[in-house]
Amino acid sequence: MPVRLADFPRVRYGMPGNAACPGCPETMGLRYVKMALGDDVVLVIPAGCSSVIQGYTPKSGINFPILNIVFASAASAASGMQAAFESQGKDTTVIVWAGDGGTGDIGFQAMSGAAERNDNIMYICADNEAYMNTGIQRSSLTPYGAWTTTTWTGKKEHKKNIPMIMIAHEVPYVATATVGYPQDFIDKLRKAAKIKGFKYIHLLAPDPVGWKFDPSLTAKLGQLAVQTGLFPLYEYENGKLTVSVFSRLYRKPEKRVPIIEYIKVQGRYAQLMKDPEKIKGLEEEIERQWKWIDILEKSSNPSSVAQQIIKENK
Amino acid sequence: MTQENSTLIIKDAETYFVVPISRPDFGSSGKTGSWRTERPVVNEEKCTKCLYCWLYCPEDTILRREDDMVYVDYDYCKGCGICAAVCPVNAIEMVPEVKRGEN
Amino acid sequence: MIKTLTGNYAVAEAAKLARIKVTSAYPITPQTTIVEKLSEMIEKGELEAKMIRVESEHSALAATLGAAAAGSRAFTATASHGLLYMHEVLWWTASARIPVVMAVAARAIGAPWNIHVEHSDVVDQRDTGWIIGIAQENQEVLDMTIQAFRISEDPRVYLPVIVGLDGFILTHTVAPVNVPDQKDVDNWLPPRRQPYVITPESKIAMGNMTSDDDYYMMRYSIQVGQEAAKKVIEEVDQSYGKAFGRYYGGLVECYRCDDADYVMVLMGSWAGDAKEAVKILREKGINAGIARIRFIRPWPAEILREKLYNKKGVLVFDRSISFGNAGQLFTELSSTLYGMTNIRGVIAGLGGVDVLPEDFANEMIDFVNKVEENGKVYDPIKWLFPAKYRNVKIEEVVS
């Protein structure tokens, strides 16, 4: 269902005057959650930028009820809340809103547990690719070559592919999204909210402070991540992987925007810019992403592969 | 600077009870418009009411009139410039705050 | 109805009688049979609750807190390393002022692995803001667990409660337990109360940043809740006594301590053996008694001072130690009784080592002799080694 902007009522979905940095992708993302799902939502937020964005008591700068919780157990706290709501006969959507560290590192065990139990919660990882709140330290989701305050010469290892790991959990719904394409994110949120069980959405959240780019480019970088093929948008539902509309054009390498367009505006890749050899490391990340997509697409949708073979043979 | 001298009167110290809770409200970090170094200014003649600026604004400080013409909540706009960057017809200009002060 | 129950099953019966709605736990010896029993009750349809079978203790308490914050009566249980692993969440839960009840099967902490009784895990939680009780026997385990919900959900308190029970000695030993009727518990235990719920209607966010000044006042408020709990625990115990015929003395059980010259202070199941020792001692002409600590938090300072200030001596038995200082009960009590009376701390029973009634009696006789010889005694640590090592010279053991 395409999202028509003029159809949205003229209400404030966000909560102005919060503590987020200018150009923050997380407040953008949270606003889209409100647009997509409305008021019957409760957030669980582990330590991270979003725990600070709320600002100071007695006001909260995020427009949702929130259980802030310790870093490692956001998913479990959400499972508890959901169980309570269910026993009270309510179908409130409980969403974990966590960063990449709270998802892929310290919170991973709890998330994996909730996914394995197929608890009826939604888990959104707002991935800004480092521990931004503590001052830009590398996480397992920091991409290859990126500068952080704990990888001064650029990260040597590749980004952990959390969405694929969640697909391996065989949960009912996994999707990737970015604040660069809000319509796509809103669609996926709405679809996920209708599914019973564990839903995972990986939201790429370009961060002007940690990635060192001009804050006006947050949305643009979200789009470039998709257009370069580095961050493919897809959904995995009922065992079937589908590449999302905004990414389809870029599965062909020749259609992709050159990766240099993405990295040259980000200060964190200054090292890469000096050494073109290293850019290959990032290009490998792109290839790896699409390799997995190809494998899953073919295995989950054999008839379309057959059709393609027929087409190619004609 | 004057020091605020606040006196907390606890009528019944035995039942003093405070919990760390909040409710959503504007300005949990104050009037964040003061953070701005540049302000977005909408050129209503150029604007096509596509609402991209409204969609992408991280702060919810682009507001819509009845006819979907947009305007800015300067009390809280942090001046990131995303609205200007996403505008397909360049109808939003980022104007330095300092220059405005001089005017 | 009288049932023969292990301490763990007594906890499960109590949680069921309290009509918990959500429970979440992770297996750890000697706690495991609590959640096994709850799981069985739920699956048989005897208990209408949801069980979240989490992947760690950290998650167990987080899920319990989540359910409680959303407005449901929630319960969890753990022990030893599990309790230490969830330590961070204990702080968070108490500071959130969300009523929760947790059973802790007191057990030693590694390394090396040891699954037997010790109080180190429980006393390690003293500073978290939780109310911490420790029961002496299975009947008290059941009664204290039911009481814990009422204490925790009292608006003057609004703090989570730990019910401690000694690993194996209580958790896995059957004893006759008088299990109240559901109807009577329903009448006695009020519906759930809590300071706030996090729901779409309440719009409440819990735990975002606060000013340092307000943070300080929130800390003060937790202390106020703890102080209020002293009164509430006494009230609840009395009211429970009226309803069910069993009253334990509130924060401190005083066993023949009123007319005693010398008093043993301790907590947990071995108080039963100490009570035997009192009989032995009285036969020998030593007027001994026991002040059994039922709640280490809030610390019953006023009661202990009132009961013990004029005694000839106080002998504290700790089943745990704060390395580099002394037993935790000793340090707490010696500060409470500062300068009032003679006091000695004995470290005994670590890692489940047996301490017999004669051991308690002999320690008391030794203490009495020392007091009568010296006039003044302040002994922070006396080691009661296991019987096997009692006659070995310390040098030989160490080398």
Side-chain angles (χ1 to χ4, degrees), chain A residues 78-246:
Chain A
S79 298
M81 289 194 100
Q82 198 280 330
F85 288 137
E86 200 179 312
S87 77
Q88 295 161 17
K90 297 177 187 165
D91 54 4
T92 301
T93 305
V94 181
I95 300 180
V96 176
W97 178 270
D100 45 298
T103 302
D105 293 345
I106 188 169
F108 185 76
Q109 173 179 308
M111 175 179 67
S112 176
E116 181 271 330
R117 294 188 304 271
N118 199 23
D119 285 343
N120 189 17
I121 60 171
M122 197 190 298
Y123 195 110
I124 302 173
C125 170
D127 176 14
N128 54 22
E129 302 193 323
Y131 290 91
M132 297 312 183
N133 189 39
T134 46
I136 321 164
Q137 293 80 31
R138 69 86 92 176
S139 77
S140 62
L141 272 71
T142 302
Y144 174 85
W147 165 94
T148 68
T149 55
T150 50
T151 54
W152 290 92
T153 56
K155 192 185 169 194
K156 307 274 191 297
E157 303 80 19
H158 287 276
K159 182 183 172 102
K160 193 194 269 186
N161 196 333
I162 298 289
M164 287 294 169
I165 294 171
M166 296 321 289
I167 288 173
H169 280 72
E170 299 193 29
V171 293
Y173 187 77
V174 176
T176 59
T178 154
V179 294
Y181 296 104
Q183 306 94 317
D184 174 69
F185 181 38
I186 289 169
D187 270 356
K188 287 169 176 169
L189 284 163
R190 285 179 173 170
K191 186 188 268 187
K194 291 195 185 99
I195 296 169
K196 197 169 156 51
F198 190 92
K199 288 82 64 173
Y200 179 82
I201 300 181
H202 196 93
L203 179 73
L204 185 72
D207 172 9
V209 179
W211 298 15
K212 298 186 174 183
F213 63 81
D214 187 278
S216 66
L217 297 177
T218 305
K220 181 71 186 163
L221 273 159
Q223 291 161 0
L224 274 173
V226 172
Q227 290 163 3
T228 53
L230 183 63
F231 188 81
L233 298 174
Y234 58 85
E235 284 173 293
Y236 181 85
E237 201 187 344
N238 300 325
K240 192 177 157 190
L241 188 137
T242 319
V243 175
S244 306
V245 177
F246 291 103

Side-chain angles (χ1 to χ4, degrees), chain C residues 30 79-80 83 104-112 114-124 134 164-169 267 269-270 318-323 328 347-353:
Chain C
S80 183
L83 184 60
V104 176
R107 172 192 140 177
I109 299 163
N114 178 329
I115 54 172
H116 297 125
V117 61
E118 196 179 300
H119 293 151
S120 302
D121 53 355
V122 177
V123 294
D124 193 51
I134 290 198
L165 63 156
D166 285 356
F168 289 101
I169 296 175
M267 59 185 186
S269 59
W270 64 358
D318 268 292
R319 205 159 204 165
S320 60
I321 178 167
S322 175
F323 294 115
Q328 289 90 337
I347 305 290
L350 302 182
V353 164

Side-chain angles (χ1 to χ4, degrees), chain C residues 200-384:
Chain C
E201 296 75 33
S202 78
K203 291 191 167 65
I204 279 174
M206 192 294 293
N208 59 318
M209 291 184 300
T210 193
S211 71
D212 297 349
D213 298 342
D214 287 346
Y215 178 92
Y216 185 108
M217 296 313 285
M218 284 167 194
R219 264 34 199 163
Y220 169 68
S221 163
I222 292 173
Q223 177 66 10
V224 170
Q226 282 277 353
E227 292 289 341
K230 291 178 182 175
K231 206 161 110 190
V232 171
I233 288 167
E234 178 60 41
E235 276 176 26
V236 166
D237 201 19
Q238 279 181 12
S239 149
Y240 191 88
K242 265 182 211 153
F244 300 100
R246 289 181 295 278
Y247 168 72
Y248 294 92
L251 294 155
V252 180
E253 184 207 4
C254 198
Y255 177 80
R256 301 178 76 170
C257 65
D258 284 337
D259 69 334
D261 297 324
Y262 291 91
V263 173
M264 291 187 262
V265 176
L266 72 180
M267 59 185 186
S269 59
W270 64 358
D273 301 296
K275 285 172 187 173
E276 291 300 315
V278 167
K279 288 172 197 159
I280 300 172
L281 288 163
R282 293 226 171 202
E283 279 167 19
K284 290 180 193 267
I286 295 173
N287 268 347
I290 292 172
R292 179 171 68 88
I293 308 289
R294 292 187 72 237
F295 284 85
I296 188 170
R297 283 292 179 276
W299 176 247
E302 297 81 359
I303 297 170
L304 289 169
R305 220 172 284 148
E306 186 196 315
K307 298 276 183 201
L308 305 177
Y309 79 99
N310 59 354
K311 300 300 178 196
K312 287 186 179 165
V314 173
L315 185 62
V316 187
F317 287 87
D318 268 292
R319 205 159 204 165
S320 60
I321 178 167
S322 175
F323 294 115
N325 193 0
Q328 289 90 337
L329 275 182
F330 173 85
T331 54
E332 303 252 334
L333 195 66
S334 64
S335 76
T336 297
L337 299 179
Y338 178 71
M340 287 179 174
T341 181
N342 297 302
I343 188 164
R344 171 185 276 179
V346 180
I347 305 290
L350 302 182
V353 164
D354 273 341
V355 182
L356 306 173
E358 306 87 77
D359 296 328
F360 286 108
N362 290 339
E363 285 303 315
M364 183 52 106
I365 290 164
D366 187 72
F367 177 56
V368 170
N369 289 342
K370 182 95 181 276
V371 171
E372 287 179 358
E373 273 169 36
N374 291 24
K376 261 204 173 350
V377 175
Y378 175 78
D379 265 355
I381 291 196
K382 182 169 183 296
W383 290 88
L384 177 63

